[in-house]
Amino acid sequence: MPSLTRDHAIDWVVRYGKAWKEQSVPGILGLFTEDGEYVERPYDPENGIYRGHPGIEKYWSTHIQGRERNVEFKHFPEDLVLDDAMATAVVKWEARFEVRQSDEKPWKTVQFLQIAKLRFAPDGRVRHFEEYWHARSFQHAAKGLRDPRARRSRCGEKRKDPMLRSSCCREALMEAQLGPFDREALRLQARAAQPLIDRVGLAYGERTQVPVVYNALSKLKPSDADFVEWYRRVTSHLVEESDMKGIPIVRPSGLFVWDQLRDALRRQLQTLQAQPFALPVTEHGANEPSAERYVMRGAAEPLLYKVIARSWVASQRDLPLILSRDVVAVTDETVKRPLPFVRSREMHVQEGHAVHSTEQESEIFLQKVMDVYQGLCRDLLCLRTSIRSDTGRKTLEVSIPRHGGMEVAAVKIVGSQMAEDFKMTFCTANASGGAVNRACCLSSFSATSRLVAAAICAHGDHLGCVWPPKVAPLQVVIIPLIRSQDRSKDDAGRRSVQQILEWCQEVTQQLASDTRAKSDLEDETRGVPLLLTVQLAEGEQLANVRMTARDMPGVEATPAFVATPSVAAHETRRQLEEMHRRLQQGMAGDALPK
């Protein structure tokens, strides 16, 4: 090349712009020598300088082709500076196009003003290309960087979500006091219990022999040494293992109690103006280049607070905003020694969030929510509770006789600082009557399925569960007793069997409106509050009835009596109410002698 001319330099820039608009990698490679250098970032020699045709081709194939579209290219030939002695030109152009950094990201329009230094080889191609630019973004795209690897970390309150230490649900899920199930307590109990186990020759998993007949005043509780194994054995008919370690399958009988509590909570929270809401359960994984890679959403607050600040709360009229949902909280942390309803990677949770104008209003509201949680434990589960306060967070603990307490619910004031971080403000009037924006006050509240575990631990005995009547999956089981003389195959025996079965069915139908009852030939009474054994008596529609309450095993709740189905149904309802009253008076056995 005898000398570099302006026309040649201008022609090179025009061909560069055409190849860029057409996304033509061969067109770009034709402008550079085989050993040419493409310098995008001089201070990053490993990732910002591309050498030879392979390096330039890789850069344009991965970072330009398919990542940019609708390119508009404008050259400014009047600004071209030429040094023909050094075969070097400095050129200027402007480009406007749409760009996206990955397939799941939206397209953003950006505009570049670029200066490039071109050193030409004798054959007219460029052997060294070095560019500098200034960018203008129309959707707040990162300034002046087209290489995803060169993206600067986003900073500032507009670009980075405020830090959330943990959500109320996450604290209730992972940081709760679990009484006898605490990890530290488990270790201490195992060490203390080992000599005793060796001495009496017991092994975990064996069924402890206890008297069959005993009443409420001599009710036995599992000892510290075998409490965990007792709990596993008692809950074995409520859950079973799944193909996911630490996440059990909950059977209908196990989930029924939580459904009863959840429905009661929903009704009472609606009286506090709580509204239902739902959020996506998945989110994009961190640093995942593929759009098909999703993970479970850890906490609801970042997304929820953004939405509330953007469109749900604008003025005083939008407050208070109270939201509640029933969800399965998921953690990706390893859970050691998982226990059904107590400690698992998945936990059924009632989760709520509230937005008020002042912290005082938030405190008053959270006290009402805590009263709802306490009333639920007292009225439905017959549990004694206490409240523990700790720096803006109150937790509800259920007392388990001789085994400490278990956290089952929590309320927390998040405060106004978090609202300011998310720009969550409302418009109100100041003292002079003018409009002013103030930060909201945030709070959260939650209850977990540990309520079910607390009821099992507080009321259970060596024979298994003792469900309070109001939440029991099955409240009454009616077992017909067939007399020996009726077991014959003659017509009289068959008629007698048919009569007693019809009597049991009639009682079941009369109880169906308000009582969960079942007539069963098998003695399947796991945790059922009331057991009726009936035997045919002399007379039409009459039967000898014996009632046994689950909280007093082996002792008849009432003397045996002869009754019609309607009388038996009435007495059954009365005995269920009496059992519930006994459990409330004893408050999970605290009043019983130890």
Side-chain angles (χ1 to χ4, degrees):
M1 185 177 182
S3 63
L4 177 64
T5 64
R6 291 181 60 87
D7 292 339
H8 181 80
I10 292 173
D11 178 71
W12 191 97
V13 175
V14 171
R15 287 188 291 154
Y16 178 89
K18 181 181 178 182
W20 188 0
K21 289 192 292 185
E22 294 175 353
Q23 302 282 289
S24 173
V25 175
I28 290 293
L29 295 179
L31 299 173
F32 292 85
T33 61
E34 285 75 11
D35 60 346
E37 285 188 342
Y38 192 112
V39 180
E40 188 192 31
R41 296 185 305 280
Y43 288 119
D44 187 6
E46 293 184 3
N47 299 317
I49 300 178
Y50 307 92
R51 296 176 173 86
H53 278 190
I56 298 174
E57 180 181 5
K58 180 179 179 181
Y59 167 69
W60 276 81
S61 299
T62 57
H63 298 153
I64 306 299
Q65 202 173 45
R67 299 295 187 190
E68 299 175 358
R69 67 180 185 183
N70 300 330
V71 179
E72 298 176 8
F73 186 87
K74 180 182 178 182
H75 177 222
F76 299 98
E78 64 274 12
D79 293 329
L80 185 144
V81 178
L82 186 68
D83 184 354
D84 57 348
M86 299 296 296
T88 302
V90 177
V91 297
K92 175 182 176 181
W93 65 73
E94 185 181 70
R96 177 168 176 163
F97 52 91
E98 295 178 357
V99 62
R100 65 177 179 180
Q101 301 308 314
S102 61
D103 294 336
E104 70 268 20
K105 299 292 185 181
W107 291 96
K108 298 180 180 180
T109 303
V110 295
Q111 185 170 315
F112 285 82
L113 187 63
Q114 290 186 270
I115 300 293
K117 182 177 69 173
L118 311 176
R119 289 183 178 176
F120 287 83
D123 60 358
R125 294 182 295 175
V126 168
R127 60 184 176 86
H128 181 86
F129 176 95
E130 191 172 332
E131 63 178 356
Y132 303 90
W133 65 81
H134 180 72
R136 176 187 177 190
S137 173
F138 296 90
Q139 287 88 17
H140 306 288
K143 295 182 178 179
L145 298 176
R146 292 178 359 211
D147 188 348
R149 294 175 297 181
R151 290 287 175 189
R152 291 172 289 186
S153 59
R154 296 190 171 190
C155 59
E157 58 184 6
K158 290 185 178 179
R159 297 194 176 194
K160 187 176 182 180
D161 291 337
M163 291 298 294
L164 285 167
R165 288 182 294 178
S166 60
S167 67
C168 187
C169 290
R170 193 172 184 81
E171 288 177 346
L173 180 65
M174 297 302 298
E175 301 175 10
Q177 298 293 326
L178 303 181
F181 302 115
D182 277 333
R183 292 177 181 142
E184 293 78 13
L186 279 172
R187 297 190 188 101
L188 294 176
Q189 289 171 3
R191 293 173 186 171
Q194 192 61 45
L196 174 63
I197 295 173
D198 294 340
R199 185 167 61 253
V200 299
L202 294 177
Y204 285 143
E206 292 184 4
R207 185 180 182 87
T208 307
Q209 298 297 323
V210 298
V212 176
V213 178
Y214 58 93
N215 56 31
L217 296 180
S218 63
K219 189 174 181 180
L220 297 178
K221 287 283 183 181
S223 64
D224 291 343
D226 60 359
F227 194 92
V228 175
E229 291 305 319
W230 168 85
Y231 181 83
R232 293 186 187 278
R233 189 182 72 241
V234 167
T235 57
S236 61
H237 71 284
L238 303 176
V239 299
E240 62 181 74
E241 293 184 0
S242 69
D243 57 353
M244 296 291 292
K245 184 178 180 180
I247 306 177
I249 297 174
V250 184
R251 295 181 179 179
S253 58
L255 197 59
F256 183 89
V257 179
W258 171 245
D259 283 344
Q260 293 286 98
L261 301 175
R262 183 188 60 186
D263 293 343
L265 274 176
R266 185 185 296 115
R267 290 192 298 269
Q268 296 185 48
L269 290 175
Q270 284 176 351
T271 63
L272 300 180
Q273 303 179 5
Q275 305 175 66
F277 77 104
L279 292 175
V281 298
T282 58
E283 60 183 350
H284 290 293
N287 302 321
E288 291 290 346
S290 173
E292 302 299 325
R293 179 66 173 174
Y294 298 97
V295 296
M296 297 300 296
R297 187 175 300 277
E301 285 85 342
L303 177 59
L304 180 63
Y305 288 170
K306 274 197 240 180
V307 174
I308 293 176
R310 183 173 61 209
S311 57
W312 291 8
V313 172
S315 67
Q316 180 80 45
R317 292 174 298 180
D318 299 324
L319 300 178
L321 176 64
I322 302 169
L323 305 171
S324 178
R325 66 170 180 167
D326 301 313
V327 67
V328 177
V330 181
T331 178
D332 55 0
E333 299 179 15
T334 302
V335 178
K336 296 182 179 180
R337 303 185 184 93
L339 287 169
F341 308 111
V342 176
R343 185 172 51 235
S344 173
R345 293 184 64 182
E346 291 185 3
M347 190 79 90
H348 292 270
V349 175
Q350 175 274 316
E351 172 190 4
H353 302 273
V355 185
H356 291 85
S357 57
T358 64
E359 186 170 336
Q360 183 180 5
E361 292 182 1
S362 294
E363 291 177 351
I364 294 173
F365 170 75
L366 292 183
Q367 184 57 50
K368 293 180 180 178
V369 174
M370 185 59 75
D371 292 341
V372 168
Y373 290 152
Q374 281 190 296
L376 188 78
C377 293
R378 180 185 62 250
D379 299 335
L380 293 185
L381 297 177
C382 306
L383 298 174
R384 185 184 297 277
T385 59
S386 61
I387 298 176
R388 185 165 58 87
S389 301
D390 182 19
T391 320
R393 181 173 183 260
K394 294 182 179 180
T395 57
L396 185 67
E397 289 189 355
V398 170
S399 175
I400 301 176
R402 296 183 287 282
H403 292 289
M406 180 189 298
E407 287 186 16
V408 295
V411 298
K412 178 182 179 182
I413 292 183
V414 181
S416 58
Q417 182 59 50
M418 188 63 65
E420 292 179 0
D421 294 340
F422 280 91
K423 298 186 179 300
M424 192 186 303
T425 60
F426 65 98
C427 183
T428 185
N430 56 17
S432 60
V436 62
N437 288 330
R438 301 186 187 278
C440 304
C441 184
L442 304 174
S443 59
S444 59
F445 51 96
S446 64
T448 74
S449 56
R450 287 201 183 99
L451 287 164
V452 179
I456 295 173
C457 296
H459 298 305
D461 55 28
H462 278 278
L463 299 179
C465 296
V466 180
W467 293 119
K470 290 186 178 181
V471 298
L474 189 62
Q475 295 171 309
V476 180
V477 169
I478 306 171
I479 299 179
L481 300 180
I482 309 300
R483 297 177 300 185
S484 58
Q485 60 268 32
D486 295 334
R487 296 181 184 275
S488 59
K489 302 298 184 179
D490 56 9
D491 293 341
R494 284 195 292 269
R495 277 197 306 270
S496 297
V497 172
Q498 185 65 27
Q499 287 177 7
I500 191 61
L501 293 179
E502 290 176 354
W503 190 96
C504 295
Q505 189 63 31
E506 179 66 22
V507 176
T508 303
Q509 292 176 358
Q510 294 196 21
L511 292 172
S513 60
D514 57 359
T515 305
R516 296 178 289 277
K518 177 183 178 183
S519 177
D520 200 341
L521 291 173
E522 298 180 1
D523 187 3
E524 180 60 32
T525 60
R526 291 171 175 169
V528 177
L530 196 62
L531 174 66
L532 272 66
T533 55
V534 297
Q535 191 173 23
L536 193 65
E538 298 296 334
E540 188 175 357
Q541 288 291 306
L542 292 178
N544 292 313
V545 181
R546 296 177 181 270
M547 292 187 177
T548 303
R550 181 61 184 85
D551 63 328
M552 298 189 302
V555 178
E556 293 181 357
T558 61
F561 60 95
V562 179
T564 61
S566 60
V567 173
H570 175 76
E571 183 62 21
T572 297
R573 293 187 179 94
R574 193 183 72 82
Q575 286 299 326
L576 288 173
E577 294 175 358
E578 181 65 19
M579 176 181 172
H580 201 85
R581 184 189 64 80
R582 284 197 304 269
L583 291 176
Q584 284 187 318
Q585 285 180 343
M587 277 301 181
D590 282 1
L592 302 179
K594 298 181 181 180

